[in-house]
Amino acid sequence: VFDALADEQVKYGVVRVENSERGMSYDILDLLRATRVYFAREIHFHERYNLAGQKDADGGVKRIYAHPAILSMCSTYLSMQKDIEIIARYDSAESLAAMVQRGDSTEATVCGDFAASIFGLKVLQPSIENSVTGVTRFIAMTKEKQLPPNDASDVRTTVMFELKHQPGALMDALAAFRSNEINLTSVFARPNRTNKWDYTVFVEFPGRYEDTKIRTAMAELRKHTTYLQMVGSYDSVEPRLKTT
């Protein structure tokens, strides 16, 4: 997804960034540091996952293929399946297509209703996710920075930065938000892959990056950092329910 955005093959790309049960998708955070893209919009909804196999599958499953994130969110059910090999596949679409092409009735996957329908798979066990109340956060990204619609009510901004190696550097950096009365809704750090033992800090807060107090906070923050990047301002939208 990041490569497609960087090469301008697509205008938008959608990635899973956080799950209420599993936490942050750290690989996404690492890619944000390596690739200049921007958050444009987010959506939250419950992901339902099924054990699905070939059309002629009779339940005699010996191997299950799925993305590691999906396997993690269905770990309780999968841990109870004895004598079944669990195999991680990072490209879900390619893995599903290959499985269908092989036509092996002893192979299965873990996927949502839509994926099962478009690949012609048979649902062997519905709703095997660990939590029926868990919510996943997806982000739409774009290569060009943009602002949410003027009438958007739930707008947030995310920035990332790296600190100077001096006492109180983090406190001094975060003080830029406190002095401008900006409430941080999320703060977390990831190892910087460029410099060993350095960390990239991500913060999220309400508002648009063009707001006066946010622009002032960014100017103050820059004084205490060695690297500062605006990840984007974005609005949150509700999923549209399919109606018949």
Side-chain angles (χ1 to χ4, degrees):
V1 174
F2 279 80
D3 288 343
L5 283 168
D7 296 339
E8 298 184 348
Q9 298 176 27
V10 297
K11 186 175 181 180
Y12 294 95
V14 179
V15 293
R16 178 192 291 106
V17 297
E18 187 176 9
N19 178 267
S20 59
E21 305 291 328
R22 186 172 180 265
M24 294 298 302
S25 297
Y26 292 116
D27 52 343
I28 299 299
L29 301 184
D30 295 338
L31 286 166
L32 282 173
R33 179 62 178 87
T35 310
R36 185 61 65 93
V37 297
Y38 300 95
F39 286 3
R41 177 161 284 185
E42 72 171 8
I43 188 170
H44 302 75
F45 61 89
H46 171 69
E47 291 183 274
R48 166 179 154 140
Y49 286 108
N50 314 302
L51 180 68
Q54 307 288 351
K55 289 183 177 180
D56 61 346
D58 57 4
V61 175
K62 295 181 179 180
R63 290 174 297 281
I64 297 176
Y65 302 88
H67 191 281
I70 296 175
L71 294 175
S72 176
M73 287 187 282
C74 302
S75 59
T76 300
Y77 173 85
L78 295 174
S79 66
M80 295 186 294
Q81 308 310 305
K82 305 302 181 183
D83 301 322
I84 294 180
E85 185 179 7
I86 308 299
I87 304 170
R89 287 288 185 267
Y90 284 87
D91 190 325
S92 297
E94 183 179 312
S95 175
L96 284 170
M99 191 186 82
V100 171
Q101 187 175 25
R102 288 192 298 271
D104 188 341
S105 62
T106 64
E107 294 183 342
T109 188
V110 181
C111 63
D113 296 334
F114 181 67
S117 66
I118 63 174
F119 282 96
L121 299 174
K122 176 182 178 181
V123 173
L124 305 176
Q125 181 66 47
S127 298
I128 65 171
E129 62 273 17
N130 293 346
S131 172
V132 296
T133 60
V135 175
T136 301
R137 177 186 178 197
F138 288 84
I139 289 283
M141 305 182 301
T142 182
K143 191 175 180 181
E144 301 296 330
K145 188 186 301 182
Q146 63 184 48
L147 279 170
N150 292 329
D151 59 351
S153 58
D154 186 7
V155 177
R156 281 181 284 179
T157 295
T158 296
V159 300
M160 68 172 84
F161 58 87
E162 289 159 16
L163 298 165
K164 299 176 181 179
H165 282 287
Q166 59 187 41
L170 180 58
M171 293 182 63
D172 291 340
L174 296 181
F177 298 100
R178 182 182 61 186
S179 62
N180 288 280
E181 299 182 333
I182 297 173
N183 179 43
L184 299 181
T185 56
S186 181
V187 181
F188 43 90
R190 285 291 294 156
N192 182 331
R193 293 185 176 182
T194 303
N195 301 312
K196 292 182 179 179
W197 312 120
D198 282 353
Y199 291 82
T200 302
V201 180
F202 295 80
V203 296
E204 182 181 87
F205 47 87
R208 304 165 182 259
Y209 63 75
E210 65 174 5
D211 293 348
T212 301
K213 66 179 183 179
I214 292 178
R215 291 171 68 92
T216 302
M218 292 300 98
E220 294 179 12
L221 178 61
R222 192 175 296 277
K223 299 175 183 178
H224 303 287
T225 61
T226 58
Y227 176 86
L228 174 61
Q229 179 180 328
M230 178 69 64
V231 180
S233 293
Y234 47 94
D235 61 328
S236 182
V237 296
E238 295 296 325
R240 295 180 179 178
L241 300 179
K242 183 178 180 181
T243 57
T244 56

